Amino acid sequence: MLFKYIKDIIDKLMSPVLPKGFIVNLYGHQISIENLKTLGKIIKYHPNLPEGFSIILSGNKIGLSGLSVLANAIEDNKSLPTSFYISLNDNEIDDIGVRLIAEAIKYNKNLPQRFNIDFRNNLIGDAGAIALASAVKHNRSLPKDFAIFLEKNHIGDSGAIALINSFIPNGFKIYLDDNNISDSGAIALASAIKKETNLPVDFKVSLYGNSVGPKGVKELVESINCIKNLPLSFVLDLERNQIKDDGVLALAELIEKKKSLPHGFSVYLGENDISDIGGIGLFQAIKNNLNLPELFRIYLSSNELSDLSVKELAEAIKDNYNLPDGFHVDLSSNNIGDSGMNFLSQAIISNPNLPYNFSINFGYNQIGANGAKDLFDAIKHNTRLLYGFRIDLGHNQIGNTGLVKLANAIKSNPNLPKSFHINLTANSINDMGATALAEAINNNSHLPEGLSINLRLNEITSVGFNELSLAVKENKNLPKGFKIELGYNHTLRKY
């Protein structure tokens, strides 16, 4: 069957006319060197490969012979389609193997406009990265949309510095998440950013899963400060590094003092050993900047933040009537409890001008029934919440008492916003809570459009399900988009 599948694909490739976006998917198919040679000849000599042509060779353990075939097909090819993508991820390719492809890139002056190679999850180190960087420097005819994906390899600072210095000045895209890059690599990236005068509209700096510390972050912050006109959308992803409180405080200073942060400014800081020192400093900066951009987002999951950080966040929310639409903070998997919810609840009550699509993620913390009570009482009393208000409390300890309070809020607040969403996944809720919610649904003729309540992974049986079903049937004024998610409960299948 496997041989026939590969033969059928090769037979299709022999056709003189292939459809746009044609994909050769040979993922994990143990392609032989003979078939790979045939594929190489087709790439090299086919007169009309279509735009968007892609070859997926992931998970095949392609050796040096196979890489040599592919390199030859690329190097001597003057008729590759406008958009060409080849995936070689998960092939145990090392520095010697990647040099073969680097040589092909180096000498082909006719690579297509959108030429991408995927080397993710291989064994490429600094020597291979330097070979790719050298190829890029040598070939002055590389296309504008040239990109190489090198996530999940073994590239350290010397390889990263070489790649950054050859790719960034030419506007090419290089992806280096999950490698072994430390402050030296981050400093090189900062230096390259400083020199750029024409950053792309959707600029993203990502060193996710490396070993960048406070020193590297401070240099990156300085480089961002030097950019007079930041691009329309700016993302800084430093999740799973070692930036700690000192690095966060440097970012906090940037957020507080730079008054022209771009639309969609997002910072990912999860898993960085950040304590309340960093959290408080960051939220004070948010409090002090009255010109935060739309879609301002901070991700702080899996750190060491406590209720003290939430208290400072609450102060920022309470006192800032100019919070932007799309304001989002992710505080999942920290050390936040009921006191934190109390602080946030007071802020929600105090601020009548919370923005559209305001959302906070408190999933995987230690929030119990008292914290939920405070939060849902605040929702009950704030009659000016706007479209898209969202709180994620999944995987806490809210229980039936918390859900009963939510039911009371739904029953008592006729002005809940459209697309109001509460996530209560995995909170030890059973039929008692489901019944209270059913009563609230049945007795409220003014439920908002898009109301969504997630009760997955709880302990609701067919009894609670039937109560909710009956309430939905009997309420003749249910709005569009109303949804209760009950999948994976005690005796229920996925719905």
Side-chain angles (χ1 to χ4, degrees):
M1 288 292 291
L2 187 61
F3 174 78
K4 184 178 183 302
Y5 175 79
I6 294 173
K7 183 178 181 300
D8 287 346
I9 286 182
I10 289 174
D11 286 345
K12 286 180 183 177
L13 285 170
M14 297 292 189
S15 171
V17 180
L18 294 169
K20 185 178 179 180
F22 188 85
I23 299 174
V24 179
N25 189 352
L26 294 169
Y27 180 92
H29 277 85
Q30 302 168 25
I31 187 168
S32 68
I33 188 63
E34 289 77 16
N35 284 325
L36 204 53
K37 285 179 179 178
T38 303
L39 183 60
K41 288 179 180 177
I42 292 170
I43 295 169
K44 188 172 182 178
Y45 296 114
H46 197 292
N48 296 302
L49 288 177
E51 184 178 347
F53 182 75
S54 299
I55 305 172
I56 312 297
L57 292 169
S58 310
N60 274 287
K61 294 186 178 179
I62 294 172
L64 292 178
S65 297
L67 287 169
S68 180
V69 168
L70 291 171
N72 182 54
I74 294 170
E75 181 178 343
D76 295 334
N77 201 323
K78 296 182 180 180
S79 57
L80 287 171
T82 305
S83 179
F84 180 83
Y85 170 81
I86 181 165
S87 175
L88 293 168
N89 70 69
D90 197 17
N91 267 294
E92 300 182 7
I93 297 170
D94 60 11
D95 292 336
I96 297 173
V98 82
R99 279 184 185 135
L100 296 171
I101 302 297
E103 287 297 300
I105 293 169
K106 187 175 185 178
Y107 293 110
N108 190 335
K109 306 298 183 183
N110 297 285
L111 288 173
Q113 183 178 343
R114 288 183 293 278
F115 182 79
N116 295 172
I117 300 185
D118 188 345
F119 284 116
R120 287 176 296 171
N121 199 26
N122 279 291
L123 306 173
I124 300 166
D126 288 333
I130 290 168
L132 286 168
S134 175
V136 169
K137 273 191 175 180
H138 183 273
N139 191 340
R140 299 293 183 183
S141 302
L142 286 173
K144 180 182 177 182
D145 293 326
F146 178 75
I148 295 184
F149 300 83
L150 288 164
E151 299 100 317
K152 294 186 178 180
N153 277 282
H154 305 292
I155 298 168
D157 288 328
S158 60
I161 290 169
L163 289 165
I164 288 164
N165 289 336
S166 61
F167 274 69
I168 301 294
N170 291 298
F172 305 143
K173 292 182 179 179
I174 184 72
Y175 299 86
L176 293 168
D177 292 350
D178 281 312
N179 277 284
N180 302 318
I181 302 165
S182 70
D183 286 336
S184 296
I187 291 168
L189 179 58
S191 177
I193 292 170
K194 274 184 187 178
K195 297 172 185 175
E196 281 302 299
T197 57
N198 191 25
L199 292 172
V201 172
D202 54 345
F203 188 63
K204 180 176 182 179
V205 177
S206 181
L207 289 172
Y208 172 100
N210 280 283
S211 303
V212 178
K215 185 177 179 181
V217 176
K218 289 175 183 177
E219 291 293 331
L220 285 169
V221 166
E222 185 183 338
S223 71
I224 296 167
N225 251 328
C226 290
I227 301 170
K228 291 183 179 179
N229 297 304
L230 281 168
L232 183 62
S233 176
F234 186 90
V235 176
L236 178 61
D237 189 348
L238 294 171
E239 190 165 335
R240 291 185 57 233
N241 277 277
Q242 299 165 13
I243 71 171
K244 303 185 185 297
D245 291 328
D246 284 348
V248 174
L249 292 175
L251 283 164
E253 187 175 359
L254 170 73
I255 290 169
E256 181 173 352
K257 293 184 177 179
K258 197 165 184 69
K259 303 304 181 184
S260 57
L261 293 172
H263 174 97
F265 183 86
S266 302
V267 182
Y268 293 79
L269 300 171
E271 293 188 58
N272 268 292
D273 295 324
I274 300 167
S275 75
D276 286 323
I277 293 171
I280 290 170
L282 186 60
F283 295 137
Q284 284 176 344
I286 290 171
K287 176 182 175 181
N288 293 332
N289 188 336
L290 301 180
N291 296 291
L292 293 174
E294 287 189 11
L295 300 178
F296 177 88
R297 296 174 180 179
I298 298 289
Y299 298 83
L300 289 160
S301 63
S302 302
N303 281 292
E304 301 297 329
L305 305 178
S306 75
D307 296 330
L308 293 175
S309 288
V310 182
K311 182 180 180 181
E312 200 60 46
L313 171 61
E315 289 295 318
I317 292 169
K318 183 170 66 174
D319 295 338
N320 192 341
Y321 285 10
N322 295 307
L323 284 176
D325 292 343
F327 178 85
H328 173 75
V329 178
D330 183 353
L331 290 169
S332 60
S333 299
N334 278 281
N335 302 314
I336 297 164
D338 290 341
S339 294
M341 285 298 94
N342 180 265
F343 296 133
L344 178 67
S345 302
Q346 292 175 35
I348 290 173
I349 291 172
S350 300
N351 190 336
N353 294 302
L354 289 177
Y356 289 98
N357 294 308
F358 174 91
S359 67
I360 303 181
N361 185 352
F362 286 111
Y364 293 93
N365 277 286
Q366 294 91 46
I367 299 164
N370 289 333
K373 172 185 176 297
D374 291 337
L375 176 64
F376 297 142
D377 278 346
I379 291 171
K380 176 181 174 181
H381 289 104
N382 189 334
T383 58
R384 296 183 64 180
L385 296 176
L386 295 177
Y387 179 98
F389 181 88
R390 179 187 182 105
I391 299 289
D392 190 336
L393 294 170
H395 297 270
N396 280 282
Q397 300 98 42
I398 285 166
N400 291 318
T401 304
L403 186 55
V404 168
K405 285 296 178 182
L406 173 61
N408 289 338
I410 290 172
K411 202 161 38 172
S412 304
N413 189 343
N415 297 306
L416 287 175
K418 292 181 180 180
S419 292
F420 174 81
H421 178 83
I422 295 288
N423 181 9
L424 297 175
T425 298
N427 266 286
S428 302
I429 295 165
N430 61 29
D431 293 332
M432 177 184 171
T435 300
L437 180 60
E439 183 184 350
I441 293 168
N442 196 23
N443 293 325
N444 191 333
S445 59
H446 300 285
L447 294 173
E449 287 185 13
L451 173 64
S452 174
I453 303 170
N454 190 339
L455 295 172
R456 293 160 64 89
L457 293 169
N458 279 290
E459 299 162 14
I460 300 167
T461 72
S462 56
V463 174
F465 175 73
N466 290 335
E467 291 289 337
L468 287 166
S469 297
L470 184 61
V472 168
K473 286 180 182 177
E474 291 185 352
N475 189 331
K476 305 301 181 184
N477 296 299
L478 278 181
K480 294 178 182 179
F482 175 79
K483 180 169 65 172
I484 297 179
E485 297 184 55
L486 289 165
Y488 301 107
N489 265 276
H490 186 58
T491 60
L492 300 177
R493 297 184 179 181
K494 181 179 178 182
Y495 287 89

